[in-house]
Protein backbone atom coordinates (compact mmCIF):
# COMPACT_ATOMS: atom_id res chain seq x y z
CA UNK A 1 0.00 0.00 0.00
CA UNK A 2 1.20 3.50 -0.88
CA UNK A 3 1.46 4.91 2.63
CA UNK A 4 0.35 4.77 6.27
CA UNK A 5 0.45 7.23 9.14
CA UNK A 6 3.98 6.21 10.07
CA UNK A 7 5.52 7.14 6.70
CA UNK A 8 6.39 10.55 5.31
CA UNK A 9 5.45 11.67 1.81
CA UNK A 10 9.10 11.21 0.77
CA UNK A 11 9.17 7.62 2.07
CA UNK A 12 5.86 6.82 0.41
CA UNK A 13 7.01 8.43 -2.84
CA UNK A 14 10.26 6.45 -2.83
CA UNK A 15 8.30 3.24 -2.30
CA UNK A 16 5.85 4.10 -5.07
CA UNK A 17 8.53 4.86 -7.66
CA UNK A 18 10.14 1.48 -6.96
CA UNK A 19 6.85 -0.44 -6.94
CA UNK A 20 6.25 -3.23 -9.46
CA UNK A 21 2.49 -3.05 -8.91
CA UNK A 22 1.09 0.09 -10.55
CA UNK A 23 -2.49 -1.10 -11.04
CA UNK A 24 -5.11 1.59 -10.59
CA UNK A 25 -8.39 0.63 -8.90
CA UNK A 26 -10.96 3.29 -9.81
CA UNK A 27 -13.85 1.71 -7.88
CA UNK A 28 -15.47 3.94 -5.27
CA UNK A 29 -14.08 3.26 -1.83
CA UNK A 30 -11.05 1.35 -3.16
CA UNK A 31 -7.91 1.77 -1.03
CA UNK A 32 -5.29 4.22 -2.26
CA UNK A 33 -2.41 2.69 -4.17
CA UNK A 34 1.14 3.56 -5.29
CA UNK A 35 -0.36 4.67 -8.61
CA UNK A 36 -2.63 7.18 -6.82
CA UNK A 37 0.40 8.74 -5.16
CA UNK A 38 2.32 9.05 -8.44
CA UNK A 39 -0.71 10.61 -10.13
CA UNK A 40 -1.08 13.08 -7.24
CA UNK A 41 2.58 14.04 -7.58
CA UNK A 42 2.17 14.56 -11.32
CA UNK A 43 -0.77 16.92 -10.77
CA UNK A 44 1.12 19.02 -8.25
CA UNK A 45 0.98 22.76 -9.09
CA UNK A 46 4.58 22.95 -7.96
CA UNK A 47 6.30 21.04 -10.75
CA UNK A 48 9.73 21.95 -9.39
CA UNK A 49 8.73 20.68 -5.95
CA UNK A 50 7.55 17.36 -7.37
CA UNK A 51 10.77 17.09 -9.40
CA UNK A 52 12.83 17.83 -6.28
CA UNK A 53 11.02 15.05 -4.41
CA UNK A 54 11.77 12.69 -7.28
CA UNK A 55 15.41 13.82 -7.39
CA UNK A 56 15.87 13.18 -3.67
CA UNK A 57 14.40 9.71 -4.12
CA UNK A 58 16.97 8.98 -6.83
CA UNK A 59 19.76 10.35 -4.62
CA UNK A 60 18.71 8.21 -1.65
CA UNK A 61 18.64 5.13 -3.88
CA UNK A 62 22.13 5.72 -5.31
CA UNK A 63 25.32 4.19 -3.94
CA UNK A 64 27.21 6.70 -1.81
CA UNK A 65 30.84 6.74 -0.80
CA UNK A 66 31.74 8.03 2.67
CA UNK A 67 32.79 11.69 2.35
CA UNK A 68 36.56 12.04 2.68
CA UNK A 69 38.07 14.05 5.53
CA UNK A 70 41.38 15.85 5.68
CA UNK A 71 42.63 13.16 8.05
CA UNK A 72 42.19 10.57 5.29
CA UNK A 73 44.59 12.42 3.00
CA UNK A 74 47.07 13.11 5.80
CA UNK A 75 47.10 9.42 6.72
CA UNK A 76 47.52 8.36 3.09
CA UNK A 77 50.46 10.76 2.72
CA UNK A 78 52.15 9.27 5.80
CA UNK A 79 51.63 5.74 4.47
CA UNK A 80 53.34 6.65 1.18
CA UNK A 81 56.25 8.35 2.91
CA UNK A 82 59.60 6.45 2.66
CA UNK A 83 61.09 5.28 5.94
CA UNK A 84 64.14 7.47 5.35
CA UNK A 85 61.90 10.54 5.38
CA UNK A 86 59.91 9.55 8.44
CA UNK A 87 60.96 12.76 10.20
CA UNK A 88 59.42 14.93 7.47
CA UNK A 89 56.63 17.14 8.88
CA UNK A 90 53.16 15.71 8.27
CA UNK A 91 50.86 17.20 5.66
CA UNK A 92 49.47 20.50 6.85
CA UNK A 93 45.87 20.27 8.00
CA UNK A 94 44.76 23.07 5.68
CA UNK A 95 46.26 21.27 2.68
CA UNK A 96 44.67 17.96 3.69
CA UNK A 97 41.26 19.61 4.20
CA UNK A 98 41.49 21.29 0.78
CA UNK A 99 42.31 17.99 -0.93
CA UNK A 100 39.38 16.32 0.85
CA UNK A 101 37.00 19.11 -0.18
CA UNK A 102 38.11 18.85 -3.83
CA UNK A 103 37.72 15.06 -3.77
CA UNK A 104 34.22 15.26 -2.25
CA UNK A 105 33.21 17.90 -4.79
CA UNK A 106 34.29 15.72 -7.71
CA UNK A 107 32.60 12.63 -6.26
CA UNK A 108 29.36 14.56 -5.75
CA UNK A 109 29.43 15.86 -9.33
CA UNK A 110 30.04 12.34 -10.66
CA UNK A 111 27.17 10.88 -8.65
CA UNK A 112 24.79 13.67 -9.59
CA UNK A 113 25.55 13.23 -13.28
CA UNK A 114 23.92 9.79 -12.98
CA UNK A 115 20.62 11.10 -11.56
CA UNK A 116 17.94 11.15 -14.26
CA UNK A 117 15.97 14.07 -12.84
CA UNK A 118 19.03 16.27 -12.22
CA UNK A 119 19.19 18.02 -15.64
CA UNK A 120 15.59 19.23 -15.63
CA UNK A 121 15.75 20.39 -12.00
CA UNK A 122 19.03 22.24 -12.55
CA UNK A 123 17.57 23.88 -15.67
CA UNK A 124 14.45 25.08 -13.82
CA UNK A 125 16.48 26.44 -10.90
CA UNK A 126 18.84 28.17 -13.32
CA UNK A 127 15.86 29.86 -15.00
CA UNK A 128 14.58 31.02 -11.60
CA UNK A 129 17.98 32.51 -10.78
CA UNK A 130 18.06 34.28 -14.13
CA UNK A 131 14.67 35.82 -13.29
CA UNK A 132 16.31 37.19 -10.15
CA UNK A 133 19.22 38.42 -12.30
CA UNK A 134 21.77 36.30 -10.41
CA UNK A 135 25.16 36.04 -12.10
CA UNK A 136 26.60 32.59 -12.93
CA UNK A 137 23.10 31.15 -12.47
CA UNK A 138 23.94 27.66 -13.70
CA UNK A 139 26.91 27.39 -11.34
CA UNK A 140 24.84 28.62 -8.40
CA UNK A 141 22.04 26.16 -9.20
CA UNK A 142 24.47 23.24 -9.35
CA UNK A 143 26.12 24.19 -6.06
CA UNK A 144 22.77 24.55 -4.29
CA UNK A 145 21.60 21.18 -5.52
CA UNK A 146 24.78 19.53 -4.25
CA UNK A 147 24.28 21.22 -0.88
CA UNK A 148 20.55 20.37 -0.76
CA UNK A 149 21.13 16.68 -1.46
CA UNK A 150 24.16 16.29 0.82
CA UNK A 151 24.10 19.04 3.50
CA UNK A 152 26.10 17.24 6.20
CA UNK A 153 29.51 18.63 7.17
CA UNK A 154 32.31 16.63 5.55
CA UNK A 155 34.60 17.02 8.55
CA UNK A 156 32.28 15.56 11.22
CA UNK A 157 29.80 13.82 8.88
CA UNK A 158 26.91 15.64 10.53
CA UNK A 159 27.86 14.60 14.08
CA UNK A 160 28.81 18.12 15.30
CA UNK A 161 32.03 17.09 17.10
CA UNK A 162 35.59 16.71 15.84
CA UNK A 163 36.59 13.27 14.66
CA UNK A 164 39.78 11.90 16.28
CA UNK A 165 42.30 11.16 13.47
CA UNK A 166 42.98 7.49 12.66
CA UNK A 167 40.20 6.30 15.00
CA UNK A 168 36.94 7.62 13.59
CA UNK A 169 35.76 8.31 17.16
CA UNK A 170 34.31 11.62 18.22
CA UNK A 171 36.18 13.97 20.54
CA UNK A 172 34.59 16.33 23.08
CA UNK A 173 35.52 19.34 20.91
CA UNK A 174 32.96 20.99 18.69
CA UNK A 175 33.55 20.70 14.94
CA UNK A 176 35.06 24.01 13.78
CA UNK A 177 34.35 23.82 10.00
CA UNK A 178 30.57 23.70 10.58
CA UNK A 179 30.46 25.54 13.92
CA UNK A 180 28.98 22.43 15.60
CA UNK A 181 25.85 22.56 13.44
CA UNK A 182 26.65 19.34 11.59
CA UNK A 183 25.70 21.08 8.33
CA UNK A 184 27.59 22.70 5.49
CA UNK A 185 27.16 26.43 5.00
CA UNK A 186 24.71 27.34 2.23
CA UNK A 187 26.89 28.28 -0.77
CA UNK A 188 26.81 31.56 -2.71
CA UNK A 189 25.68 33.86 0.07
CA UNK A 190 22.40 35.72 -0.28
CA UNK A 191 21.59 34.24 -3.70
CA UNK A 192 22.13 30.74 -2.29
CA UNK A 193 19.91 31.39 0.73
CA UNK A 194 17.17 32.81 -1.50
CA UNK A 195 17.27 29.76 -3.78
CA UNK A 196 17.34 27.38 -0.79
CA UNK A 197 14.19 29.04 0.58
CA UNK A 198 12.58 28.81 -2.86
CA UNK A 199 13.37 25.07 -3.06
CA UNK A 200 11.98 24.45 0.42
CA UNK A 201 8.80 26.32 -0.53
CA UNK A 202 8.41 24.29 -3.74
CA UNK A 203 8.83 21.00 -1.87
CA UNK A 204 6.35 22.12 0.81
CA UNK A 205 3.76 23.04 -1.83
CA UNK A 206 4.29 19.71 -3.59
CA UNK A 207 3.81 17.78 -0.33
CA UNK A 208 0.64 19.72 0.50
CA UNK A 209 -0.76 19.21 -2.99
CA UNK A 210 -0.10 15.46 -2.86
CA UNK A 211 -1.74 15.17 0.57
CA UNK A 212 -4.74 17.19 -0.57
CA UNK A 213 -5.34 15.03 -3.65
CA UNK A 214 -4.89 11.79 -1.68
CA UNK A 215 -7.02 12.95 1.26
CA UNK A 216 -9.51 15.51 -0.17
CA UNK A 217 -11.81 15.21 2.83
CA UNK A 218 -9.06 16.50 5.13
CA UNK A 219 -9.28 19.95 3.59
CA UNK A 220 -13.06 20.25 4.03
CA UNK A 221 -14.66 22.06 6.93
Amino acid sequence: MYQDDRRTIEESYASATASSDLRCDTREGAPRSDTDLLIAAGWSPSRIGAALLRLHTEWDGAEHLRPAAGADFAQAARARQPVALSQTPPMARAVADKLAAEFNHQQAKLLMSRLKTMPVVREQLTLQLLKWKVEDAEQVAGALLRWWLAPNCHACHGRKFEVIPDTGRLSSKHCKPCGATGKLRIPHGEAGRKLANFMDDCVHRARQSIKKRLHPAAGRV
Side-chain angles (χ1 to χ4, degrees):
M1 189 55 58
Y2 81 96
Q3 105 181 72
D4 58 41
D5 294 338
R6 294 167 296 181
R7 297 168 67 181
T8 65
I9 286 293
E10 286 84 350
E11 291 169 338
S12 299
Y13 189 84
S15 175
T17 56
S19 176
S20 59
D21 182 6
L22 295 179
R23 291 173 294 179
C24 185
D25 190 343
T26 58
R27 294 174 298 173
E28 184 176 354
R32 296 293 187 178
S33 67
D34 291 329
T35 305
D36 292 307
L37 191 146
L38 295 177
I39 291 173
W43 278 99
S44 170
S46 178
R47 296 293 181 88
I48 299 178
L52 284 166
L53 285 175
R54 187 161 58 251
L55 177 63
H56 215 296
T57 296
E58 294 173 1
W59 172 264
D60 288 341
E63 182 179 358
H64 299 270
L65 295 176
R66 180 184 69 82
D72 298 322
F73 283 84
Q75 183 177 3
R78 288 197 300 271
R80 293 194 303 267
Q81 199 173 67
V83 177
L85 299 179
S86 58
Q87 299 304 313
T88 301
M91 178 182 290
R93 180 172 179 175
V95 174
D97 288 343
K98 181 180 179 181
L99 290 173
E102 292 173 351
F103 175 82
N104 290 326
H105 177 73
Q106 291 303 318
Q107 288 299 311
K109 288 182 64 175
L110 179 62
L111 177 56
M112 290 181 187
S113 69
R114 299 170 183 163
L115 303 178
K116 295 180 180 179
T117 311
M118 177 61 74
V120 66
V121 173
R122 184 169 54 231
E123 179 184 8
Q124 291 303 311
L125 294 182
T126 299
L127 290 174
Q128 184 62 46
L129 288 167
L130 290 173
K131 288 182 181 178
W132 294 336
K133 302 186 185 304
V134 174
E135 296 182 1
D136 301 319
E138 187 173 359
Q139 180 182 348
V140 175
L144 260 292
L145 281 169
R146 289 191 293 274
W147 167 83
W148 185 75
L149 290 170
N152 283 346
C153 172
H154 295 154
C156 68
H157 311 303
R159 295 183 288 179
K160 303 182 182 181
F161 292 90
E162 288 186 1
V163 178
I164 301 173
D166 304 329
T167 68
R169 296 196 302 269
L170 296 180
S171 74
S172 59
K173 298 179 180 179
H174 286 157
C175 178
K176 293 180 180 178
C178 67
T181 64
K183 303 295 182 183
L184 295 171
R185 182 177 299 177
I186 299 176
H188 293 285
E190 182 60 33
R193 288 190 290 273
K194 187 174 182 179
L195 186 60
N197 289 335
F198 173 78
M199 293 164 69
D200 286 343
D201 181 61
C202 287
V203 170
H204 175 73
R205 290 175 60 202
R207 289 196 192 109
Q208 293 303 111
S209 177
I210 292 171
K211 289 179 181 178
K212 184 177 180 180
R213 293 192 64 83
L214 291 174
H215 305 288
R220 298 173 188 167
V221 178

